[in-house]
Amino acid sequence: MNTPTDDSNSQLRYAEYVLGVLDADARAEVERDMASSEAVATAVALWQRRLLPLIAEAAPIEPPEYVWHRIRHQLALDASPAVARPADAGTARPRWWNALRFWQGLGLGASLLAAACLALLLSSHKPSVTPPSYLASTITQGNGQVGWTATVDLNHQRVVIVPTRPQAIARDRAPELWLIPEGQRPIAVGMIGGDAPVTLPLDRRLLASFGPGAALAVSVEPPGGSPTGQPTGPVIAKGLLDTSGAAIHVPLASPAHPLDT
Amino acid sequence: MPPHRTPEQNLLDELLAKTASGDQAAFAELYRLTSPRLYGVCVRMLRERGEAEEVLQEAWITVWHRASTFDRTKASAGTWLGTLFRNKAIDRLRQRREQLLDDPELMNHLEDEDPNPADGAEQTQEYLRLRECLDQLQPQQRRAIREAFFSGVTYNELAARCQVPLGTMKSWIRRSLLQLRTCLDL
């Protein structure tokens, strides 16, 4: 390995790597050297220590609540970790990270209450299962491409459905979203957009139907929706809803629109 | 030898170390305390919230799995996290490099001279020292360093954004980095 760390060219390379100006190939090269040489790793770490404090200048932005839910689901963490409660008043709060507004947007007490009510509501279907607060689905077209992503917000009883790219739908037709409980007939959820995100409310009957094995589907219908209450046009996309809460399917393109408005 | 750390920094170190041992409450608390800043960094680099959310999620999954590699004698939790999240964002930027280069609106963007300086509450010793050293650079070069750090773009794109030849940009950045090192290591 020809990487003497006292060489000023190498030093510059590591600094450039940490700053972020190298292209993908050069970055990969530095990372390989870091993995194989303790000296290189130490030199890079030193530059990280020098330059990283600059992130204090990035304005903090509260991430949408559902990001944490997705992380928790993906890691199959317990349903009620400490993030569900603010830290004890006595806990030191790092001012540097300026995270004080986190709880204001979260409204967690209300969310927990809603989740508890929903658990009661669903308990007749599947006892002793606490449903996750969010369900996600990627609704895939026949060609294997994801047409829409859906995020079901059980607490707020609504679903946000986002096209991953503009969908070509005939002028006098419109896409309609259906919930298909396992082994049952489709239930109309509502009309959705071919090129814009749509939020649809979920009534009690729909909420109660989000059991294991449920799927979402999109069919092409007349503009006002299917006249029969069942899909009349072709089903152009379909996706399973992960209701286990253990390993939720992460949408390829997550909704850019926070569920809380 | 780790530098002196504030109680706040020590708390983050502690939470990250506990995360390494599978402590979910510590992980949740770490997320709560640091996510706004880290998300802010991702949004600033990616300029698109949906993508920043994906990076945020992916990076936190990595934090959970790799927390055991955190060594507080080598870096603070803030530096460790900041590095991980910036790297994820930079990887994402490299993947969509061509798309970015095609976007004239992004190409014409330049960071303001006054880069939203951290307010009083966030001024760690390390940050204050870094800012002091940045202030000793030529204004153009100082701006190039900040633009590079917060955009995560390559030399080529940086030169295009700042409308200077590639060679000029490289020499600005390199000279600045060496100057920063001299100043910081004093």
Side-chain angles (χ1 to χ4, degrees), chain A residues 211-239:
Chain A
L216 290 175
V218 175
S219 73
V220 178
E221 302 294 340
S226 162
T228 69
Q230 285 294 303
T232 58
V235 171
I236 56 170
K238 203 169 167 177

Short mmCIF file of all heavy atoms in Angstrom, two decimals, chain A residues 211-239:
data_model
loop_
_atom_site.label_atom_id
_atom_site.label_comp_id
_atom_site.label_asym_id
_atom_site.label_seq_id
_atom_site.Cartn_x
_atom_site.Cartn_y
_atom_site.Cartn_z
N GLY A 211 -56.37 -6.44 7.77
CA GLY A 211 -55.84 -7.61 8.46
C GLY A 211 -54.64 -8.18 7.73
O GLY A 211 -54.25 -7.69 6.67
N PRO A 212 -54.04 -9.25 8.26
CA PRO A 212 -52.93 -9.91 7.59
C PRO A 212 -53.35 -10.39 6.20
O PRO A 212 -54.47 -10.87 6.02
CB PRO A 212 -52.61 -11.10 8.49
CG PRO A 212 -53.19 -10.74 9.83
CD PRO A 212 -54.38 -9.87 9.54
N GLY A 213 -52.47 -10.23 5.24
CA GLY A 213 -52.76 -10.69 3.89
C GLY A 213 -53.53 -9.70 3.04
O GLY A 213 -53.84 -9.98 1.89
N ALA A 214 -53.86 -8.54 3.62
CA ALA A 214 -54.61 -7.55 2.85
C ALA A 214 -53.73 -6.96 1.76
O ALA A 214 -52.51 -6.88 1.90
CB ALA A 214 -55.12 -6.45 3.76
N ALA A 215 -54.37 -6.56 0.65
CA ALA A 215 -53.63 -5.97 -0.47
C ALA A 215 -54.32 -4.69 -0.91
O ALA A 215 -55.50 -4.47 -0.62
CB ALA A 215 -53.56 -6.96 -1.63
N LEU A 216 -53.56 -3.85 -1.59
CA LEU A 216 -54.12 -2.68 -2.24
C LEU A 216 -54.03 -2.90 -3.75
O LEU A 216 -53.10 -3.52 -4.23
CB LEU A 216 -53.36 -1.41 -1.85
CG LEU A 216 -53.53 -0.93 -0.41
CD1 LEU A 216 -52.60 0.26 -0.13
CD2 LEU A 216 -54.98 -0.55 -0.12
N ALA A 217 -55.02 -2.38 -4.47
CA ALA A 217 -54.99 -2.53 -5.92
C ALA A 217 -55.51 -1.25 -6.55
O ALA A 217 -56.26 -0.49 -5.93
CB ALA A 217 -55.82 -3.72 -6.36
N VAL A 218 -55.09 -1.00 -7.78
CA VAL A 218 -55.56 0.15 -8.53
C VAL A 218 -56.21 -0.35 -9.82
O VAL A 218 -55.62 -1.15 -10.54
CB VAL A 218 -54.39 1.11 -8.88
CG1 VAL A 218 -54.88 2.25 -9.77
CG2 VAL A 218 -53.75 1.64 -7.61
N SER A 219 -57.44 0.10 -10.06
CA SER A 219 -58.10 -0.25 -11.32
C SER A 219 -58.45 1.02 -12.08
O SER A 219 -58.49 2.11 -11.50
CB SER A 219 -59.36 -1.08 -11.07
OG SER A 219 -60.38 -0.25 -10.54
N VAL A 220 -58.68 0.88 -13.37
CA VAL A 220 -59.04 2.02 -14.21
C VAL A 220 -60.55 2.08 -14.33
O VAL A 220 -61.19 1.10 -14.76
CB VAL A 220 -58.37 1.89 -15.60
CG1 VAL A 220 -58.77 3.06 -16.49
CG2 VAL A 220 -56.86 1.81 -15.45
N GLU A 221 -61.12 3.19 -13.91
CA GLU A 221 -62.58 3.31 -13.82
C GLU A 221 -63.06 4.61 -14.48
O GLU A 221 -62.25 5.48 -14.80
CB GLU A 221 -62.99 3.32 -12.33
CG GLU A 221 -62.54 2.10 -11.54
CD GLU A 221 -63.23 0.80 -12.00
OE1 GLU A 221 -64.30 0.89 -12.64
OE2 GLU A 221 -62.68 -0.28 -11.72
N PRO A 222 -64.37 4.75 -14.63
CA PRO A 222 -64.91 6.04 -15.06
C PRO A 222 -64.54 7.12 -14.02
O PRO A 222 -64.30 6.77 -12.86
CB PRO A 222 -66.43 5.82 -15.07
CG PRO A 222 -66.60 4.34 -15.16
CD PRO A 222 -65.41 3.74 -14.47
N PRO A 223 -64.49 8.39 -14.45
CA PRO A 223 -63.98 9.45 -13.58
C PRO A 223 -64.61 9.48 -12.18
O PRO A 223 -63.92 9.75 -11.20
CB PRO A 223 -64.31 10.72 -14.35
CG PRO A 223 -64.33 10.29 -15.78
CD PRO A 223 -64.83 8.88 -15.79
N GLY A 224 -65.87 9.18 -12.04
CA GLY A 224 -66.49 9.25 -10.72
C GLY A 224 -66.28 7.98 -9.90
O GLY A 224 -66.71 7.92 -8.75
N GLY A 225 -65.63 7.01 -10.46
CA GLY A 225 -65.43 5.76 -9.74
C GLY A 225 -66.31 4.67 -10.31
O GLY A 225 -67.25 4.93 -11.07
N SER A 226 -66.01 3.43 -9.93
CA SER A 226 -66.77 2.30 -10.43
C SER A 226 -68.25 2.45 -10.08
O SER A 226 -68.60 2.69 -8.93
CB SER A 226 -66.22 1.01 -9.81
OG SER A 226 -67.18 -0.01 -9.95
N PRO A 227 -69.13 2.27 -11.07
CA PRO A 227 -70.56 2.41 -10.79
C PRO A 227 -71.13 1.21 -10.03
O PRO A 227 -72.22 1.31 -9.47
CB PRO A 227 -71.18 2.52 -12.19
CG PRO A 227 -70.19 1.86 -13.11
CD PRO A 227 -68.85 2.02 -12.49
N THR A 228 -70.41 0.12 -9.97
CA THR A 228 -70.97 -1.11 -9.40
C THR A 228 -70.50 -1.37 -7.96
O THR A 228 -71.00 -2.27 -7.30
CB THR A 228 -70.58 -2.34 -10.23
OG1 THR A 228 -69.17 -2.56 -10.08
CG2 THR A 228 -70.91 -2.14 -11.70
N GLY A 229 -69.49 -0.62 -7.51
CA GLY A 229 -68.94 -0.93 -6.20
C GLY A 229 -67.87 -1.99 -6.25
O GLY A 229 -67.25 -2.31 -5.23
N GLN A 230 -67.65 -2.55 -7.43
CA GLN A 230 -66.55 -3.50 -7.63
C GLN A 230 -65.75 -3.02 -8.85
O GLN A 230 -66.28 -2.31 -9.69
CB GLN A 230 -67.11 -4.91 -7.89
CG GLN A 230 -67.64 -5.58 -6.62
CD GLN A 230 -66.54 -5.87 -5.61
OE1 GLN A 230 -65.57 -6.55 -5.89
NE2 GLN A 230 -66.67 -5.29 -4.42
N PRO A 231 -64.47 -3.40 -8.95
CA PRO A 231 -63.68 -2.95 -10.10
C PRO A 231 -64.35 -3.37 -11.40
O PRO A 231 -64.76 -4.52 -11.54
CB PRO A 231 -62.34 -3.67 -9.91
CG PRO A 231 -62.28 -4.00 -8.46
CD PRO A 231 -63.68 -4.22 -8.02
N THR A 232 -64.50 -2.40 -12.34
CA THR A 232 -65.08 -2.73 -13.64
C THR A 232 -64.02 -2.68 -14.73
O THR A 232 -64.14 -3.35 -15.74
CB THR A 232 -66.21 -1.75 -14.01
OG1 THR A 232 -65.67 -0.41 -13.99
CG2 THR A 232 -67.36 -1.83 -13.03
N GLY A 233 -62.98 -1.87 -14.52
CA GLY A 233 -61.90 -1.77 -15.51
C GLY A 233 -60.75 -2.67 -15.14
O GLY A 233 -60.79 -3.39 -14.12
N PRO A 234 -59.70 -2.67 -15.96
CA PRO A 234 -58.54 -3.51 -15.67
C PRO A 234 -57.81 -3.09 -14.39
O PRO A 234 -57.74 -1.90 -14.08
CB PRO A 234 -57.63 -3.29 -16.89
CG PRO A 234 -58.09 -1.99 -17.48
CD PRO A 234 -59.55 -1.87 -17.17
N VAL A 235 -57.33 -4.08 -13.64
CA VAL A 235 -56.49 -3.79 -12.48
C VAL A 235 -55.06 -3.59 -12.99
O VAL A 235 -54.48 -4.49 -13.59
CB VAL A 235 -56.55 -4.96 -11.46
CG1 VAL A 235 -55.50 -4.76 -10.37
CG2 VAL A 235 -57.94 -5.06 -10.85
N ILE A 236 -54.55 -2.38 -12.80
CA ILE A 236 -53.24 -2.07 -13.40
C ILE A 236 -52.09 -2.16 -12.41
O ILE A 236 -50.93 -2.15 -12.79
CB ILE A 236 -53.24 -0.68 -14.07
CG1 ILE A 236 -53.65 0.40 -13.05
CG2 ILE A 236 -54.16 -0.65 -15.27
CD1 ILE A 236 -53.44 1.81 -13.58
N ALA A 237 -52.39 -2.25 -11.13
CA ALA A 237 -51.30 -2.35 -10.15
C ALA A 237 -51.83 -2.94 -8.86
O ALA A 237 -53.01 -2.79 -8.53
CB ALA A 237 -50.69 -0.97 -9.88
N LYS A 238 -50.95 -3.62 -8.15
CA LYS A 238 -51.37 -4.32 -6.95
C LYS A 238 -50.19 -4.44 -5.99
O LYS A 238 -49.04 -4.58 -6.43
CB LYS A 238 -51.85 -5.72 -7.34
CG LYS A 238 -52.80 -6.36 -6.35
CD LYS A 238 -53.41 -7.62 -6.97
CE LYS A 238 -54.10 -8.42 -5.87
NZ LYS A 238 -54.77 -9.61 -6.37
N GLY A 239 -50.45 -4.41 -4.69
CA GLY A 239 -49.36 -4.57 -3.73
C GLY A 239 -49.88 -5.05 -2.39
O GLY A 239 -50.95 -4.66 -1.95
#
